[in-house]
Amino acid sequence: AYDSRFDQTVLQDRGFFCFVKVRKDYDPSTEDWYHVLIHGGIDHGRQHLDPPRQRLPISYFHPTGGIGQVFQHITWPDERLPASFVGLGALPGPLPMGVLCDLHSEPPFAVVGLGTGTLAAHARPWQTVHIYEIDPLVRSLSLPPAGKRPIFTYVDDARKRYADIHVIMGDGRLRMRAAPEKHYHIIVLDAFNSDAIPVHLLTADAVGEYLDKLAEGGVLIFNTTNRFVDLKGVLANIADHHDLVPLTYGDYDEGIPDKFGSDWVVLQRRQLPPLLPGRPYSGFQPMTELLNMQKWREPLRDPRPVWT
């Protein structure tokens, strides 16, 4: 609950798309202080200022929301012992377990749209994460010039625990073309211009390009939260066009501290790589397993043509 009596402006400037503001807010319902990102007229997320809770993903990205459930549901399909489990396995030196892991111990994932950097909270030690961002001002909130402290520390915190985070500047759809084929196991589309999602990121053509970069069993996740346009049917049509399974999650229940209502759409190929005998992590779980969880469902199709 925003209380304007405690509003303190930390930064305001003109960004690539529109006006950008960061507030320092006090929430009486949680009795906590936050940094809050305002893009145009929309709250784009926040971060606790209390150090023990700074790494917690909150607001639209709460662990009990759609995106949190997807990250918790996925078991990385990799038979190697992860570097995050070994601890220092990827560091130089004659460590006895170091040979069991490498610099890509968990498969990489990508995010289009940096925002507050909250999704970096899911990055594991030595896991590669590519975050595509078009706005230098938004980037500077997480990765400021040398000698300055970041306003939002999710990216910095992930790097401190040895996650391999790269913020790649430019239009996400165009810059992702340089990524290796079948490289990412998750691609999250979280780019917004205030309350609007750039349409060129939501066409059948764009999804075809993402699929080129997505591992065979990987998932595309779209943040479709906005005030005016219901995009679930649009993405369901695109899913049919590419023979994908669409699932949607909408959650606007109140009462959970630090959680915002949000809408998410997940797309995954219908044919998944097979599980290999004796290697339980060699394949992907089908996202249809989420249908057994509350509020996940298959979206209705839009009667209009596929967006191209």
Side-chain angles (χ1 to χ4, degrees):
Y2 167 58
D3 189 333
S4 61
R5 294 175 299 171
F6 299 99
D7 181 0
Q8 301 177 31
T9 298
V10 176
L11 173 147
Q12 56 184 7
D13 204 346
R14 174 74 189 184
F16 182 88
F17 286 117
C18 55
F19 185 75
V20 174
K21 181 177 181 178
V22 178
R23 293 195 311 245
K24 181 181 179 182
D25 283 359
Y26 177 77
D27 188 337
S29 67
T30 61
E31 300 182 344
D32 286 327
W33 287 92
Y34 304 83
H35 277 154
V36 180
L37 176 62
I38 306 297
H39 197 253
I42 302 299
D43 186 328
H44 272 224
R46 56 189 57 205
Q47 183 178 26
H48 277 283
L49 292 183
D50 181 28
R53 287 178 284 182
Q54 280 186 333
R55 294 185 179 184
L56 298 177
I58 58 174
S59 67
Y60 308 102
F61 313 99
H62 195 274
T64 65
I67 187 69
Q69 291 183 36
V70 170
F71 270 95
Q72 292 175 44
H73 180 72
I74 286 179
T75 300
W76 301 107
D78 193 333
E79 71 279 7
R80 293 168 290 182
L81 190 62
S84 56
F85 180 76
V86 173
L88 300 179
L91 292 179
L95 296 175
M97 299 186 72
V99 295
L100 298 178
C101 58
D102 61 22
L103 294 178
H104 297 284
S105 62
E106 276 103 7
F109 69 89
V111 178
V112 178
L114 173 63
T116 58
T118 309
L119 290 174
H122 293 285
R124 304 179 185 185
W126 291 282
Q127 184 174 28
T128 296
V129 180
H130 291 166
I131 303 176
Y132 296 89
E133 175 56 50
I134 201 169
D135 192 339
L137 177 58
V138 172
R139 181 188 188 278
S140 71
L141 304 180
S142 293
L143 296 173
K148 294 188 176 182
R149 295 173 59 86
I151 293 176
F152 297 103
T153 65
Y154 286 111
V155 170
D156 187 56
D157 290 340
R159 287 180 167 179
K160 287 178 179 177
R161 63 177 181 271
Y162 303 106
D164 185 27
I165 309 285
H166 301 265
V167 177
I168 300 170
M169 297 304 297
D171 179 272
R173 178 177 171 182
L174 298 179
R175 293 304 309 274
M176 196 180 296
R177 292 173 180 172
E181 300 294 302
K182 311 301 182 186
H183 185 60
Y184 301 119
H185 288 223
I186 299 177
I187 299 176
V188 183
L189 280 300
D190 188 42
F192 283 83
N193 169 12
S194 188
D195 197 37
I197 303 174
V199 174
H200 75 289
L201 300 178
L202 291 174
T203 64
D205 314 71
V207 170
E209 294 185 24
Y210 307 147
L211 290 173
D212 289 340
K213 308 302 179 181
L214 189 70
E216 288 300 325
V219 293
L220 303 177
I221 311 171
F222 294 81
N223 186 352
T224 60
T225 309
N226 70 93
R227 293 173 176 172
F228 304 110
V229 183
D230 185 350
L231 294 166
K232 295 187 289 291
V234 170
L235 288 167
N237 289 356
I238 291 173
D240 292 342
H241 179 80
H242 287 289
D243 195 27
L244 307 174
V245 175
L247 296 176
T248 183
Y249 176 94
D251 181 7
Y252 286 85
D253 289 348
E254 298 181 359
I256 299 179
D258 291 330
K259 182 179 180 181
F260 290 179
S262 60
D263 289 303
W264 298 88
V265 174
V266 172
L267 306 182
Q268 186 181 40
R269 293 179 176 92
R270 292 189 182 276
Q271 299 297 321
L272 303 183
L275 289 171
L276 300 178
R279 291 168 59 186
Y281 300 111
S282 61
F284 290 78
Q285 299 100 317
M287 291 295 108
T288 50
E289 292 178 357
L290 292 171
L291 291 172
N292 298 323
M293 304 176 70
Q294 189 178 15
K295 298 175 182 151
W296 284 96
R297 60 183 178 83
E298 186 161 339
L300 299 174
R301 273 54 177 175
D302 192 295
R304 290 161 290 192
V306 173
W307 282 14
T308 63

